[in-house]
């Protein structure tokens, strides 16, 4: 298929960006979206032009590096996937595809489609851990039985890949699905109880400090989340925060 | 220089404990004055950085991604081995040790492997304490599954995302130390060389990938944990950015490179679909617990399937060849990876491949779905359940076990693997070879350590499933933090290492000159052009089976590609900005050198062992006909290569392998 691409180009963080049109031809429907981008970049390199910078690494939907706002949707038109798992069979010959970076005040553009997600790092550093030394001198793993349901639910929350689609898609640029998922993973497990109150307070405080917006229960984040992280996690985080406040 | 593996004396089961008791320690007050650089933040690097920081060292950690959590350990699916014997099925430290040495086709260092097995159980305890949500049974205890090459269930898992959960555990431990200021994290930074002062590793030169700035970082020791070099094949299951640069640069500065030809070609990957393909996707080996691998028995059926006139589900049991079950009745579909891969290649080379490219076999879950369905019907007291009901019940179980993998497959191939068998084919996955290290995990350069996949030590010529995660975390959490202290104990009075020395000047100049060359070369061909060309030579001549003629050709061809690369590569953009093409150019330049050493190593090793299959060395008759034939008399050694300018001029040093606790045998899975 032959396509027209409208892509956000921006030299660096301080430069002014703009949408630029490109044509790519003979794209196979079996290609992944990023392979289509590779074709475009190869074309640009061969023409002596600078290729489009975009984040990507594992290309199997788990590292969370890839982003892209495609035709107005985080990770593009398919559901339950990251951009690297999006395939060209979702498009048809003659389509025009608009490709933009994540847009959020807390995710400034570094170059073209690459954004700075350090805000997520700082939120995790504020409390996204259990304070146990890695000495290996902990108790035997099976001395702490954990209900299968709790373990499974914690796992569901822990599958978050930290890509930032929830923020990009939210009209308030809220990071509550991301933070809620991490808070939930530990809140659901007995190991996480000791520091539960401090954790949620510190992580939420850092989240606010970074300039992320609030949740107004639209639910777009859950829809666009490539890992299907549930809104329940936001509710759980709010409960945890309430519990911590009245403690 | 003679190789000294520094394996402690004494019985194998006491070596590590005795050694730890006698090792030099650094007191907590002195640790504050010692800096350690850790390059790479996957399971090995991440866990090492966190632990070293907890101990009190000042750690500087480097990752080329925008967060430590994105290292490619994250993509490991199936699980992590540990000799917990929770299932009571006869597992023990010795058995894990034995399985790993046997699985590695008797080409690993016994003492290292035993230590790995010994600390494996601690890893699980540690990870549970960190809040890693491993799978559990209804009693709340940890669940296990089985992996290839073993007869027990010792693999712990978190759905099909075990690597992700373990890495997030190490990442959380890192975050705690970053918040305390004990780890200084350098995201989007790439190590481009190591700096030696008076023969010791004392720092690195790194490039800030956002600004392009070249930075000097000093430390009292440098730890390289940058993973494997599977991307030398261009197509692999590695992440796009996975590279050999750090490992290769330290090799050029004096670290020997061991067994580069030991590569793991993983049997269950999604087959390639076209020339545009950028990477291959792995389907976890855990699928072989329930999936049965087959091709049609008759070539007419193969033809009909390729033409689309027949579907795989149309074939009756009699018309299918479950070749692994046929050839290896004892292990069946759970033979080790190298064996499963070669068997798939054998069938496809004979013309039985089931897709258009002729390079695919089936992985079929119909039998498992039926088996689970019947079991569920019994559990739920459903008598006379219809086939459809049984199927529905069984599908739910398979979905709970492998749902995310099935979804991944469906998104890529656009076929529903619950309804039609998956198609799979082997792909490059892991490299057992790597930087040579001694028992302390130190390279041949003092103060320079190498851990995780980047080193060579634990997996011999073939790695068993779920052992990579085990090794990464063992090295990082429990081994390196002890052994590095022994070295650093001599550095308590050294003081900060200055970066304004001539040694730093010189290496920085080398790095800058190379970058300037790339951005000014203005050649005609893209970096990918050369990478793909290299990958094709590697796959065709250094792939699943190798022979003398092909390997000699590969050496010549790779050298020619390298020469063309340096003449004609085109790197748009500048040096002082974010420039992904420039990053790739540096990495491919190093792959082009490694590739040649790889072929040389494969040529030198005139035996078949593990992932290294030399066509000249196969069993000629008897029940093992066609299987790999090892030559213990002449090749029971580690090939450690010393850099001498050109890859072809590398000098071989042999570390003879001694097997005191395990008898060397033909590896049989029949």
């Amino acid at each position: 298929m032959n396509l027209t691409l409208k892509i956000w180009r921006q030299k660096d963080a301080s430069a002014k960006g703009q949408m630029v049109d490109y044509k790519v031809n003979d794209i196979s429907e079996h290609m992944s979206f990023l392979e289509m981008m590779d074709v475009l970049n190869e074309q640009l390199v061969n023409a002596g032009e600078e290729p489009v910078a975009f984040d990507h690494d594992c290309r199997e939907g788990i590292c969370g590096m890839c982003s892209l706002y495609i035709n107005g949707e985080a990770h593009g038109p398919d559901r339950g996937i990251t951009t690297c798992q999006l395939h060209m069979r979702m498009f048809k010959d003659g389509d025009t595809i608009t490709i933009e970076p994540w847009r959020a005040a807390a995710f400034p553009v570094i170059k073209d489609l690459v954004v700075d997600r350090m805000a997520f790092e700082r939120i995790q550093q504020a409390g996204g851990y259990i304070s146990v030394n890695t000495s290996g001198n902990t108790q035997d793993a099976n001395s702490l039985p954990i209900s299968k349901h709790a373990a499974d639910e914690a796992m569901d929350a822990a599958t978050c890949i930290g890509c930032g689609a929830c923020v990009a898609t939210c009209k308030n640029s809220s990071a509550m699905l991301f933070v809620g998922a991490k808070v939930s993973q530990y809140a659901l497990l007995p190991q996480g109880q000791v520091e539960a109150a401090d954790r949620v307070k510190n992580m939420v405080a850092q989240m606010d400090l970074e300039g992320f917006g609030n949740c107004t229960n639209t639910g777009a984040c859950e829809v666009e989340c490539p890992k299907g992280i549930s809104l329940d996690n936001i509710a759980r985080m709010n409960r945890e925060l309430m519990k911590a406040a009245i403690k | 220089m003679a190789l000294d593996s520094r394996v402690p004396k004494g019985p194998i089961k006491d070596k590590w404990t005795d050694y730890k008791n006698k090792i030099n320690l650094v007191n907590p007050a002195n640790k504050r004055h010692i800096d350690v650089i850790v390059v790479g933040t996957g399971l090995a690097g991440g866990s090492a950085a966190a632990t070293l920081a907890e101990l009190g060292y000042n750690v500087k950690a480097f990752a080329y991604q925008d967060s430590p959590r994105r290292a490619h350990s994250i993509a490991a699916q199936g699980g992590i081995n540990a000799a917990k014997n929770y299932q009571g099925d006869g597992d023990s430290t010795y058995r894990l040790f034995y399985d790993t040495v046997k699985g590695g086709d008797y080409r690993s260092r016994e003492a290292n492997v035993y230590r790995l097995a010994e600390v494996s159980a601690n890893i699980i305890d540690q990870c549970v304490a960190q809040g890693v949500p491993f799978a559990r049974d209804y009693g709340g205890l940890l669940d296990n599954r089985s992996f290839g090459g073993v007869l027990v269930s010792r693999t712990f898992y978190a759905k099909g995302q075990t690597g992700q959960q373990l890495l997030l555990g190490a990442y959380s431990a890192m975050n705690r130390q970053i918040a305390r200021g004990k780890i200084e994290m350098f995201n989007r930074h790439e190590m481009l060389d190591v700096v030696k002062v008076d023969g010791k590793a004392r720092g690195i030169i790194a490039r800030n990938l956002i600004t392009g700035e070249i930075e000097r970082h000093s430390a009292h020791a440098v730890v390289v944990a940058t993973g494997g070099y599977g991307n030398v094949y261009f197509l692999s299951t590695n992440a796009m950015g996975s590279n050999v640069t750090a490992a290769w640069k330290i090799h050029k500065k004096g670290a020997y490179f061991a067994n580069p030809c030991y590569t793991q070609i993983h049997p269950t990957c999604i087959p390639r679909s076209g020339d545009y393909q950028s990477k291959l996707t792995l389907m976890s080996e855990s699928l072989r617990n329930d999936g049965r691998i087959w091709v049609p028995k008759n070539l007419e059926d193969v033809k009909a399937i390729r033409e689309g006139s027949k579907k795989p589900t149309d074939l009756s049991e009699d018309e299918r060849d479950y070749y692994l079950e046929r050839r290896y009745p004892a292990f069946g579909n759970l033979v080790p990876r190298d064996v499963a891969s070669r068997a798939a290649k054998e069938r496809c080379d004979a013309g039985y491949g089931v897709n258009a490219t002729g390079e695919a076999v089936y992985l079929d879950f119909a039998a498992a779905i039926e088996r689970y369905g019947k079991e569920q019907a019994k559990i739920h007291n459903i008598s006379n359940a219809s086939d459809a009901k049984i199927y529905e019940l069984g599908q739910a179980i398979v979905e709970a076990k492998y749902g995310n993998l099935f979804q991944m497959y469906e998104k890529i191939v656009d076929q529903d693997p619950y309804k039609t068998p998956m198609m799979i084919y082997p792909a490059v996955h892991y490299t057992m070879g790597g930087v040579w290290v001694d028992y302390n995990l130190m390279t041949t350069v003092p103060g320079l350590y190498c851990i995780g996949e980047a080193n060579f030590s634990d997996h011999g010529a073939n790695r068993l499933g779920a052992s990579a995660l085990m090794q990464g975390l063992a090295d990082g959490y429990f081994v390196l933090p002890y052994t590095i202290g022994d070295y650093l104990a001599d550095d308590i009075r050294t003081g900060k290492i200055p970066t304004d020395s001539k040694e730093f000047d010189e290496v920085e100049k080398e790095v800058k000159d190379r970058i300037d060359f790339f951005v000014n070369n203005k050649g005609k061909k893209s970096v990918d052009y050369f990478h793909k060309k290299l990958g094709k030579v590697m796959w065709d001549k250094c792939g699943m089976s190798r022979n003398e003629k092909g390997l000699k050709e590969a050496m010549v061809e790779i050298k020619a590609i390298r020469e063309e690369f340096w003449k004609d590569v085109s790197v748009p953009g500048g040096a002082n900005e974010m420039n992904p093409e420039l990053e790739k150019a540096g990495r491919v330049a190093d792959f082009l050198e490694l590739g040649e050493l790889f072929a040389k190593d494969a040529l030198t090793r005139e035996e078949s062992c593990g992932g290294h299959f030399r066509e000249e060395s196969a069993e000629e008759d008897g029940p093992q006909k066609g299987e790999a034939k090892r030559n213990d008399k002449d090749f029971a050694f580690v090939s450690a290569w010393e850099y001498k300018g050109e890859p072809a001029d590398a000098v071989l040093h042999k570390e003879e392998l001694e097997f005191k606790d395990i008898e060397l045998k033909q590896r049989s899975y029949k």
Side-chain angles (χ1 to χ4, degrees), chain B residues 606-635:
Chain B
E606 294 169 337
E607 64 159 351
S608 294
C609 59
H612 171 66
F613 185 76
R614 280 288 296 266
E615 287 161 16
E616 301 91 338
S617 184
E619 296 288 345
E620 276 157 19
D621 43 39
Q624 300 287 342
K625 186 166 186 272
E627 300 292 332
K629 189 175 167 188
R630 243 181 23 238
N631 176 352
D632 293 328
K633 193 168 123 304
D634 301 316
F635 291 97

Side-chain angles (χ1 to χ4, degrees), chain B residues 514-521 565-566 569 571 582 585-586 589:
Chain B
R514 183 151 113 151
I515 288 173
D516 288 343
F517 170 83
F518 284 134
V519 294
N520 293 319
N521 191 44
F565 172 85
W566 284 104
V569 69
V571 179
L582 177 61

Side-chain angles (χ1 to χ4, degrees), chain A residues 11 35 42 55 57-60 63 80 89 111 118 121 134 136 140-142 146 160 162 185 191, chain B residues 51 54 64 66-67 69-70 84 86 125-126 128 131 188 240-241 278-279 407 411-412 526 577-578:
Chain A
K11 180 96 183 130
E35 282 164 354
E42 182 83 8
D55 266 330
D57 202 27
C58 77
R59 294 209 178 184
E60 47 190 84
C63 76
R89 64 181 80 95
K111 180 176 189 169
M118 285 306 107
E121 296 297 294
T134 59
D140 182 82
N142 258 354
I146 299 173
C160 167
Q185 178 194 341
Q191 304 95 304
Chain B
T51 309
E54 277 169 17
Y64 72 76
D66 71 340
S67 163
R69 69 179 294 161
R70 310 213 194 277
K84 277 288 198 187
Y86 281 162
D125 300 341
Q126 182 65 47
V128 167
R188 293 198 196 265
M240 300 300 285
S278 60
K279 79 153 265 161
Q407 186 237 15
K411 290 293 177 191
I412 294 174
S526 70
E577 59 179 326
M578 177 176 262

Side-chain angles (χ1 to χ4, degrees), chain B residues 388-400:
Chain B
K389 184 71 191 168
I390 286 174
Y391 190 87
E392 184 197 317
L393 292 166
Q395 179 172 338
I397 300 295
V398 169
E399 195 173 342

